[in-house]
Amino acid sequence: MKKVLASLLSGIFFLAIYTTAFAAENRPTILYFGVEAVVNEGLEGEYIVKTKGGQTEEGFVFTPPKPFTNENLKFLITIKGKGIVILKVEETNARGQYIKEGKLEIELTPEWTTHEMTFTLESPSSQVDTSVLTKNKEKAEFSFKNLQVIEE
């Protein structure tokens, strides 16, 4: 009886581990993290951002997944919408401590427009977060595609 119970418990244990591991593999990767906003994927690589309007600087954050080998970066994005947004690049160290940031204010248009912003890191080993955030405290909706952070 003890052997049967031990075998049964072992089977349940392995099944639980397998199910958890399998579920983690199927979980979607979040590329764009909403900041008081919802980010949904649209058609053909387009993303739609809808902010709540409760505060300024609502939108989304993107963290490039690969480390950099150079201090000079370029943040590129194709975007359309209405209103004014801020392109932001923020640099932190490995401990998450703020180093510096750069901002570029742009006025959105109904047509797709590509914007670029250059930024020089203190160190290529730094963590980089890029954002597109609202300037004003109001509900906003804008779309973007082709977001890139490249080394120059």
Side-chain angles (χ1 to χ4, degrees), residues 74-77 87 104 106 113-118 152:
K74 187 182 287 188
F75 173 23
L76 296 155
I77 189 168
L87 303 183
L104 176 65
I106 60 170
T113 307
T114 300
H115 297 274
E116 66 179 59
M117 176 181 166
T118 57
E152 288 195 298

Side-chain angles (χ1 to χ4, degrees), residues 48-94:
I48 299 132
V49 180
K50 294 180 182 179
T51 68
K52 295 180 181 179
Q55 61 190 37
T56 60
E57 297 196 359
E58 296 179 339
F60 72 91
V61 176
F62 169 72
T63 303
K66 296 180 182 177
F68 298 105
T69 58
N70 185 325
E71 288 89 8
N72 298 314
L73 304 179
K74 187 182 287 188
F75 173 23
L76 296 155
I77 189 168
T78 303
I79 192 167
K80 69 178 181 176
K82 183 180 175 186
I84 298 172
V85 295
I86 300 165
L87 303 183
K88 181 177 174 181
V89 178
E90 185 173 82
E91 179 181 7
T92 56
N93 65 18

Side-chain angles (χ1 to χ4, degrees), residues 29-40 47-52 57-64 129-133 142 144 147:
T29 303
I30 299 172
L31 293 176
Y32 307 106
F33 180 77
V35 178
E36 294 299 316
V38 176
V39 181
N40 289 311
Y47 291 86
I48 299 132
V49 180
K50 294 180 182 179
T51 68
K52 295 180 181 179
E57 297 196 359
E58 296 179 339
F60 72 91
V61 176
F62 169 72
T63 303
D129 291 320
T130 59
S131 323
V132 177
L133 305 168
F142 58 91
F144 72 94
L147 187 152

Side-chain angles (χ1 to χ4, degrees), residues 90-93 97-101 122-123 126:
E90 185 173 82
E91 179 181 7
T92 56
N93 65 18
Q97 296 170 319
Y98 174 86
I99 297 174
K100 68 179 185 176
E101 67 184 33
E122 294 295 318
S123 168
S126 295

Side-chain angles (χ1 to χ4, degrees), residues 18-32:
Y18 175 77
T19 304
T20 304
F22 184 72
E25 288 178 10
N26 289 331
R27 197 170 296 141
T29 303
I30 299 172
L31 293 176
Y32 307 106

